[in-house]
Amino acid sequence: MDYTLNKKALEENGYSIIKSLYTESEIDQIATCIKHSQKKEESFLRTKDLFAIRQLNNVVPRLRELLFNVKLTNLLSELFDTKYFLTKAIYFDKPSTSNWFVGYHQDLSISVNKKIDIPGYTNWTFKRGQYGVQPPIEILQNTITLRVHLDETDKNNGALKVIPKSHLKNIYRPESIDWNIETEHVCAIEEGGVMLMKPLTLHASNKTTNGKRRRVIHLEFCNHELESSLNWQERFEL
């Protein structure tokens, strides 16, 4: 399949939607694999409004053969001009009764193996045994987020809202959004569909109002090496 138009939309608008990358059977296998995964305390997060698994590729390695199939690798090969690798994998399950919403933001943090003092790396965090840091802007510019949807998702059960072209403004603080010039787009996606997004694209999601759950696998890929002895925490070569 030719993904030229998707690549163009991603570069110009900061996001793109692929109607169906995984079949219904493949989605069922992925969901079953996650359901029967062994719980690891630091990686599993559960509240009444959200269930999440961090470092999904490491915690549920059986998912690799299901997620990283020929269609996905072909897509990534068209999106990247040089060698790429996985840098982050998270599973999100927004229950049908969720009151959880997220305001507009950019994804500015990457996961790394340790904390060291390096120019250009700021806003360090340490949560649930994992270091996060905001890297130089060029690393975020060379990252692509791929969101695999295990459920049909629209504005009523947490589909992402985005501000087209906001990734072109580099660091764009939500409080400075000028709604006189900006527009909002809701990214409704079918089961098995995929949303491509630049991490610098401003995005948000609403509460669930239609009684339907929303399960998403969030994958980040990059082709940029880090400085000095700093390494990507979840780096995985496809």
Side-chain angles (χ1 to χ4, degrees), residues 34-195:
I34 293 173
K35 181 179 180 181
H36 296 294
S37 60
Q38 184 177 359
K39 183 175 180 180
K40 295 187 178 180
E41 199 62 38
E42 283 191 342
S43 298
F44 282 65
L45 172 65
R46 185 184 295 275
T47 70
K48 64 183 180 67
D49 291 324
L50 171 68
F51 172 59
I53 306 175
R54 300 184 183 279
Q55 296 198 30
L56 182 66
N57 184 56
N58 296 330
V59 175
V60 193
R62 289 181 56 239
L63 268 180
R64 294 171 185 171
E65 60 184 88
L66 300 174
L67 283 174
F68 306 133
N69 58 18
V70 172
K71 288 180 288 186
L72 178 62
T73 52
N74 285 344
L75 167 61
L76 292 169
S77 295
E78 289 202 34
L79 296 176
F80 286 103
D81 297 324
T82 58
K83 183 176 174 60
Y84 57 87
F85 43 86
L86 177 74
T87 61
K88 184 180 292 186
I90 309 173
Y91 170 71
F92 292 110
D93 182 352
K94 194 171 195 176
S96 58
T97 57
S98 178
N99 286 321
W100 169 57
F101 73 96
V102 178
Y104 270 103
H105 66 285
Q106 296 172 303
D107 292 335
L108 301 178
S109 181
I110 63 172
S111 300
V112 294
N113 64 323
K114 58 185 175 182
K115 181 179 180 179
I116 52 178
D117 186 18
I118 304 178
Y121 290 77
T122 61
N123 298 326
W124 286 89
T125 60
F126 185 72
K127 298 178 182 178
R128 301 178 73 86
Q130 181 172 289
Y131 287 104
V133 66
Q134 183 175 325
I137 194 74
E138 59 266 22
I139 293 178
L140 298 174
Q141 292 170 335
N142 283 282
T143 295
I144 294 175
T145 298
L146 189 149
R147 292 168 57 88
V148 181
H149 281 251
L150 309 189
D151 300 294
E152 182 179 1
T153 309
D154 59 26
K155 65 179 181 179
N156 298 310
N157 65 328
L160 282 194
K161 304 180 295 182
V162 299
I163 299 180
K165 303 184 184 300
S166 53
H167 69 300
L168 300 175
K169 300 181 181 182
N170 295 327
I171 304 300
Y172 191 173
R173 299 300 179 190
E175 60 271 18
S176 67
I177 296 174
D178 184 352
W179 290 111
N180 292 313
I181 60 173
E182 301 290 13
T183 58
E184 178 180 271
H185 179 78
V186 178
C187 299
I189 303 177
E190 297 180 4
E191 175 187 323
V194 163
M195 178 180 177

